[in-house]
Amino acid sequence: MYAILDIETTGGKYNEEGITEIAIYKYDGHTIVDQFISLINPEREIQPFVVNLTGINSSMLRNAPKFYEIAKRIVEITTDCILVAHNAQFDYRILCTEFRRLGFEYERRTLCTVELSKQLIPGQTSYSLGKLVRSLGIPVADRHRATGDAQATVKLFKMLIDKDSSKTIIQNAIRLDPKYQLEPKHIDIIEELPSITGVYYIHKSDGEIIYIGKSKNIKRRINQHFTSTNHKSKKIQQLVSAVTYEATGSELVALLKESEEIKRNKPIFNRALRRTIFTHALYSFKDDNNYINLKIDVADGRKNPITTFSTRQSGKSFITKAIEDYNLCQKLTGLYKTKTSCFNYDIKMCNGACIQKETPELYNKRIELLIDKNSYANKNMVIIDKGRDVDERSAILIKNGIFQGLGFFNLNYQINNIEVLESIITPMRNNRDTQHIIQSYLRKNNRIKKLIF
């Protein structure tokens, strides 16, 4: 099964682009069996040359769904499919980038109609989609729009399959399914592993830990390590002798344990994770008019951030959502640089703090609500999450804004005071990474139980 798609983007710096439109046609090799087409609000500026090329502008996208609202549909329609696109590397990279911003690793196999056309239709003066389909007599409407380009790619792909007399495309597609043949020792290791949430440790024959990771499905994740063809995975496949694991039930517990274990053991294939896992932070300051301003900036160890982010873009996305949720001013949150009123004030979606029409007292109350929700500075609280069994829960203890450690308790065991809780907690180191992990997890899991004391 194939998912033939085209994506239009905002343009801009590499890996900072956003999707403005997507069209996906699910194709069984004979007919289109499903389709998904949508404009998307990219939550960022569209480059002027892109507006001229596609005709898509910000006003068209104001009420369009954001990527997180249609992500599930994209996953569903492309499951068990090979992604087909004209310059597939670009479309696949953009999709993976958008999913990564949501904390989801999107993995699909791909076929590129540019590469296939060069193999099966050599000698063309150009392999750009517009010139290629025109030279082949394939009609195309709405050029540089996702629907028109995706439909043209469907027709081109049908022609390529017809021209593929040796059936190379089909054979390659079939070969892509079992990407990599598992060795017997890898099969034995995978069979012994459970499909649970936890931390896993990959060992060499002498017992040395060479990689530590966490997963919501340990068996599936180790299978990915053993079937991937990237350089790191191949080295792990050669050296692995055993895999041990520790069940956590809670993904938050797994993230915290993974971070601590990597810092303590320093495995050779975890070099990237030994460094700080966040790059940007949210800071606040009062301006000359006594309004609390927010700013996303490069993380600075000398300052106390409200919360932290893995990328600048994830910080910007947080601010964009906060503006909607708390009715904040675009100018005072650093998203709209102007000496006068912000854009939202002009369309009556801002109360006018940008031009001192709303009092600092009223505006700052909403800012303080946001800060209180997203920072645990000076707070005493327990985060209650899943345990390793149905009758168990995990507890993450924070005292005076400092992460103390974590533990597990049985549901029949009532925790009614801090002394009882501290007795079941395993102490762990508090650092900027643990703060980032906890804050990021709480942002993404609004319904998680928190006990303030």
Side-chain angles (χ1 to χ4, degrees):
M1 195 72 76
Y2 305 96
I4 302 172
L5 73 147
D6 187 77
I7 288 169
E8 302 300 332
T9 73
T10 57
K13 290 182 181 178
Y14 184 83
N15 273 1
E16 291 188 8
E17 311 101 315
I19 298 176
T20 57
E21 187 179 33
I22 189 167
I24 305 173
Y25 293 95
K26 193 170 184 176
Y27 180 65
D28 66 2
H30 305 284
T31 58
I32 293 169
V33 296
D34 195 4
Q35 66 182 53
F36 174 68
I37 300 159
S38 180
L39 289 169
I40 300 172
N41 182 340
E43 303 181 83
R44 70 203 71 206
E45 183 183 352
I46 305 173
Q47 297 296 309
F49 81 91
V50 176
V51 175
N52 292 334
L53 183 69
T54 65
I56 299 172
N57 57 51
S58 296
S59 62
M60 290 170 61
L61 305 178
R62 189 169 295 129
N63 297 317
K66 298 179 175 67
F67 186 81
Y68 72 86
E69 296 176 280
I70 53 104
K72 183 181 178 183
R73 175 65 174 134
I74 293 173
V75 171
E76 288 172 347
I77 197 171
T78 62
T79 294
D80 298 325
C81 288
I82 296 166
L83 296 189
V84 179
H86 206 70
N87 190 8
Q89 185 180 7
F90 171 79
D91 295 77
Y92 184 56
R93 175 179 68 80
I94 296 294
L95 266 183
C96 289
T97 300
E98 287 281 19
F99 276 108
R100 209 169 290 122
R101 288 169 185 153
L102 303 179
F104 180 81
E105 285 300 320
Y106 181 78
E107 293 182 357
R108 296 292 186 271
R109 304 167 192 90
T110 62
L111 277 174
C112 179
T113 51
V114 174
E115 294 173 9
L116 294 171
S117 298
K118 288 177 180 178
Q119 294 172 28
L120 297 170
I121 319 172
Q124 295 292 311
T125 55
S126 172
Y127 288 91
S128 71
L129 183 62
K131 291 179 180 178
L132 181 61
V133 296
R134 208 160 35 242
S135 70
L136 297 172
I138 296 172
V140 57
D142 287 336
R143 182 76 179 98
H144 297 301
R145 290 295 299 269
T147 306
D149 286 359
Q151 287 175 344
T153 306
V154 170
K155 293 166 187 171
L156 174 61
F157 188 60
K158 284 181 180 179
M159 181 180 289
L160 292 170
I161 290 177
D162 291 339
K163 285 183 174 290
D164 183 30
S165 55
S166 63
K167 299 304 170 196
T168 308
I169 295 175
I170 302 300
Q171 287 173 25
N172 284 346
I174 293 168
R175 265 206 305 275
L176 280 169
D177 283 328
K179 247 197 279 193
Y180 194 87
Q181 289 299 315
L182 285 167
E183 291 184 18
K185 71 170 182 178
H186 296 154
I187 294 171
D188 292 341
I189 290 170
I190 290 169
E191 282 180 351
E192 296 296 318
L193 295 172
S195 301
I196 60 170
T197 300
V199 179
Y200 59 87
Y201 308 82
I202 299 178
H203 302 261
K204 278 171 40 180
S205 57
D206 62 1
E208 179 191 345
I209 297 171
I210 58 173
Y211 187 81
I212 296 173
K214 73 89 199 165
S215 178
K216 291 194 282 188
N217 186 327
I218 292 174
K219 182 190 284 283
R220 185 172 63 196
R221 185 70 188 100
I222 294 299
N223 186 69
Q224 289 170 344
H225 281 300
F226 290 170
T227 55
S228 178
T229 56
N230 65 49
H231 178 70
K232 184 177 79 173
S233 293
K234 284 184 174 180
K235 293 292 288 183
I236 288 174
Q237 291 156 22
Q238 289 171 6
L239 296 172
V240 63
S241 177
V243 177
T244 58
Y245 65 90
E246 184 178 350
T248 63
S250 158
E251 187 183 7
L252 176 56
V253 173
L255 285 162
L256 291 167
K257 279 184 170 288
E258 177 196 36
S259 176
E260 174 138 315
E261 294 285 355
I262 288 170
K263 287 179 172 64
R264 182 186 294 128
N265 291 281
K266 298 180 172 57
I268 57 172
F269 294 115
N270 281 109
R271 287 196 182 93
L273 289 176
R274 290 207 296 266
R275 296 192 292 271
T276 300
I277 58 176
F278 61 90
T279 60
H280 289 77
L282 177 65
Y283 299 102
S284 66
F285 64 92
K286 277 193 176 180
D287 63 20
D288 295 339
N289 296 309
N290 216 33
Y291 291 92
I292 299 175
N293 284 232
L294 298 178
K295 184 181 181 183
I296 300 292
D297 207 348
V298 175
D300 185 339
R302 298 165 297 179
K303 299 177 183 176
N304 291 320
I306 297 165
T307 188
T308 51
F309 305 95
S310 300
T311 64
R312 180 181 289 275
Q313 188 52 51
S314 59
K316 280 188 174 181
S317 297
F318 172 84
I319 287 289
T320 301
K321 190 170 187 304
I323 287 170
E324 292 181 12
D325 293 345
Y326 292 88
N327 190 23
L328 304 181
C329 172
Q330 291 173 309
K331 178 181 175 181
L332 301 187
T333 53
L335 278 197
Y336 195 83
K337 297 192 187 313
T338 177
K339 293 182 179 178
T340 56
S341 60
C342 71
F343 177 76
N344 275 0
Y345 177 76
D346 297 338
I347 58 172
K348 296 182 172 54
M349 290 178 66
C350 168
N351 295 342
C354 42
I355 50 173
Q356 292 87 56
K357 281 211 168 183
E358 182 180 21
T359 65
E361 292 75 23
L362 279 175
Y363 182 78
N364 290 349
K365 278 182 183 177
R366 297 198 300 279
I367 288 279
E368 285 161 0
L369 285 173
L370 178 143
I371 293 172
D372 184 64
K373 181 179 178 182
N374 290 282
S375 169
Y376 58 75
N378 305 316
K379 285 183 184 174
N380 295 307
M381 69 176 179
V382 183
I383 301 166
I384 307 295
D385 205 358
K386 295 175 185 175
R388 297 161 295 190
D389 298 303
V390 291
D391 60 349
E392 184 182 68
R393 292 292 180 269
S394 57
I396 291 92
L397 175 62
I398 293 165
K399 282 180 70 177
N400 298 318
I402 296 171
F403 169 60
Q404 302 291 313
L406 55 87
F408 298 92
F409 65 93
N410 192 283
L411 287 176
N412 296 322
Y413 185 62
Q414 293 297 313
I415 295 180
N416 46 30
N417 61 59
I418 188 64
E419 288 77 20
V420 173
L421 178 62
E422 286 179 324
S423 70
I424 67 167
I425 290 294
T426 302
M428 291 176 71
R429 285 176 289 187
N430 175 70
N431 54 53
R432 295 170 71 83
D433 284 346
T434 58
Q435 292 173 16
H436 171 74
I437 289 167
I438 293 167
Q439 289 174 322
S440 296
Y441 191 82
L442 293 178
R443 277 201 304 270
K444 294 171 186 172
N445 298 271
N446 292 326
R447 296 181 182 177
I448 200 163
K449 187 176 181 182
K450 288 177 284 186
L451 302 177
I452 311 295
F453 61 90

